[in-house]
Amino acid sequence: MVEELIAVIAAYGIGVGLVHWLRRRSREGREGTKHAVIVTRDAGSIVEWHLRALAFGQWLKSRYTKITLIDEGSSDDTLRIAERLLGKLHAEWELISAATPSEAQSRLARIGAVHEIVVIRGALAGGAGSAV
């Protein structure tokens, strides 16, 4: 009875290890990399939700994601919240602080190929989140 239980646990462990190894191996080339850009201003209350939703969706699709967050001079905790959360995510990320929306636009133009752009403006900025 104990031997059978140990065999089941060992088989499960081998299966989990194999899945992780194959997933890591498939990410080495990064051919399937997606690049998402999030433009924020005073979105401290909702930026965490957007980042978690993006990361979860990419995790479900087994895609490697690069996340670039451009902040348009927030006066709230947006950058601090994003930096804390992005450090926990398994994705390549970059935080860019822009003083004005026009500076954010010029930085966005220099990024290059982007698969998804999300603009989030909080209550202090007079807007709501929207996908472009």
Side-chain angles (χ1 to χ4, degrees):
M1 179 80 164
V2 172
E3 294 86 14
E4 293 169 350
L5 182 61
I6 291 173
V8 168
I9 292 172
Y12 178 76
I14 290 169
V16 168
L18 183 62
V19 167
H20 284 286
W21 178 75
L22 289 172
R23 187 171 177 156
R24 185 176 300 126
R25 187 168 177 228
S26 71
R27 288 183 175 186
E28 286 176 359
R30 304 282 192 230
E31 294 89 15
T33 299
K34 299 294 180 185
H35 189 179
V37 175
I38 300 174
V39 181
T40 63
R41 182 173 58 215
D42 295 323
S45 62
I46 56 175
V47 71
E48 183 173 359
W49 183 88
H50 282 278
L51 288 171
R52 287 186 187 275
L54 176 66
F56 183 69
Q58 297 307 314
W59 176 78
L60 284 177
K61 296 175 186 175
S62 295
R63 288 189 185 145
Y64 180 77
T65 305
K66 177 179 180 183
I67 300 171
T68 302
L69 189 131
I70 302 175
D71 185 70
E72 298 178 334
S74 292
S75 60
D76 64 356
D77 297 354
T78 301
L79 280 177
R80 185 183 59 76
I81 292 168
E83 187 171 14
R84 176 185 52 83
L85 184 62
L86 286 170
K88 295 178 183 179
L89 296 179
H90 293 77
E92 182 181 344
W93 57 273
E94 177 182 12
L95 286 176
I96 299 173
S97 183
T100 63
S102 59
E103 183 183 349
Q105 287 294 327
S106 67
R107 297 245 185 154
L108 183 60
R110 285 184 266 161
I111 288 177
V114 176
H115 294 89
E116 183 176 359
I117 299 174
V118 178
V119 178
I120 308 169
R121 294 206 169 84
L124 296 175
S130 62
V132 177

